[in-house]
Amino acid sequence: MEFTALIANLGKYAAGIVAETPLAFPTTTEQVQKALQTIGVDGLKYEEVIVMEYSIGIAGVAPLLGEYAHIDELNYLAKRLECLSPEDLKKFAAAVRHGEYVCSVQDLINLAYPCNLEQFMWLPEVKTYEDYGRYLVDTKRDFSLPRGARFYFNYEEYGETTAINENGDLTPQGYICHDRSGSFQEIYDGKEIPREYRVFQYPLQAKVKRHNNQKERDSPKNKRR
């Protein structure tokens, strides 16, 4: 699945200077450093990055990520999505379209964990309210309808009414609703990104320069007597 962010040097951008490059996710520290070098973010004169645009294979995700999303957080999300099967990715896309528990990058990361994704009832074969009404009748979920009565039953109206009552949605990936049998779990609190997903690091030469500057400041000849 494609997941790319067009990152730019915020300081130069504010000054009207174009300094941007694409960064594909999941990524590595080496790839991040190379991208930062390209746009001139060195951790000294320029420290901040802004995301100009996203290219991601799941509709509705890009607007939730924002201009100032942290690279480590984007990498966390990309890694979680990489763990999902093709079917679960479709379910994830349906859940995003549904709009529940998807207000931020933090929500998207948590949604990508199986314990949260499995709380949604997803019916990929259901594309219309009539489909849903027939599904409900055929599975006898709410009641058993005599075979003869099925010729006169309004499946579409029943499907739509049920969907409204359970806050369900028809999406391009099928029908989806939260089954309310459990609570959405906050595995990622939006503060502490697990170490295995952290990749942001300024280019090496900037670190060396910063270290040398610090040594010069700490040198006895530079200390106040």
Side-chain angles (χ1 to χ4, degrees):
M1 183 197 71
E2 182 185 12
F3 187 170
T4 303
L6 182 65
I7 64 171
N9 183 321
L10 180 57
K12 290 186 177 182
Y13 175 74
I17 302 171
V18 177
E20 57 190 29
T21 191
L23 179 62
F25 293 91
T27 189
T28 65
T29 297
E30 292 72 26
Q31 290 170 332
V32 170
Q33 289 180 318
K34 184 177 179 181
L36 294 181
Q37 280 183 315
T38 300
I39 63 176
V41 170
D42 55 12
L44 297 170
K45 182 178 180 180
Y46 296 105
E47 298 185 62
E48 296 183 79
V49 171
I50 186 172
V51 182
M52 306 304 296
E53 62 182 54
Y54 294 94
S55 179
I56 183 167
I58 301 176
V61 170
L64 300 171
L65 302 180
E67 295 178 305
Y68 300 101
H70 197 282
I71 286 177
D72 286 344
E73 205 169 40
L74 294 176
N75 192 57
Y76 189 179
L77 174 60
K79 283 285 191 179
R80 289 309 315 159
L81 293 177
E82 192 177 52
C83 292
L84 298 180
S85 67
E87 282 301 296
D88 279 343
L89 275 174
K90 292 177 183 177
K91 186 176 183 180
F92 180 90
V96 169
R97 186 67 175 261
H98 177 51
E100 196 169 2
Y101 303 114
V102 287
C103 296
S104 64
V105 183
Q106 176 188 347
D107 287 345
L108 291 170
I109 290 171
N110 285 319
L111 178 62
Y113 278 95
C115 61
N116 286 322
L117 200 55
E118 67 188 12
Q119 292 182 23
F120 289 85
M121 181 185 76
W122 176 53
L123 304 171
E125 71 280 4
V126 172
K127 304 297 185 182
T128 66
Y129 287 125
E130 182 178 351
D131 288 343
Y132 191 41
R134 290 186 180 279
Y135 165 83
L136 293 170
V137 170
D138 291 344
T139 59
K140 303 178 182 179
R141 197 190 79 172
D142 299 326
F143 58 85
S144 180
L145 187 68
R147 184 171 298 275
R150 296 188 180 191
F151 293 104
Y152 309 100
F153 190 74
N154 192 325
Y155 292 98
E156 181 177 8
E157 183 176 327
Y158 181 59
E160 183 175 11
T161 300
T162 304
I164 291 172
N165 290 337
E166 61 191 14
N167 193 32
D169 271 312
L170 291 171
T171 75
Q173 296 79 25
Y175 180 79
I176 192 166
C177 70
H178 192 267
D179 66 12
R180 310 296 175 187
S181 62
S183 58
F184 195 79
Q185 298 183 41
E186 188 182 82
I187 298 169
Y188 169 51
D189 62 5
K191 300 175 183 177
E192 188 66 24
I193 298 174
R195 184 175 299 275
E196 63 265 32
Y197 303 118
R198 298 181 208 164
V199 291
F200 186 88
Q201 194 174 104
Y202 291 114
L204 184 59
Q205 62 268 32
K207 292 177 62 181
V208 171
K209 186 175 181 180
R210 184 188 298 154
H211 178 68
N212 289 339
N213 288 342
Q214 184 63 46
K215 285 177 66 177
E216 288 179 8
R217 287 195 295 270
D218 293 343
S219 173
K221 68 178 182 181
N222 290 330
K223 289 186 177 180
R224 299 174 64 181
R225 297 182 182 277

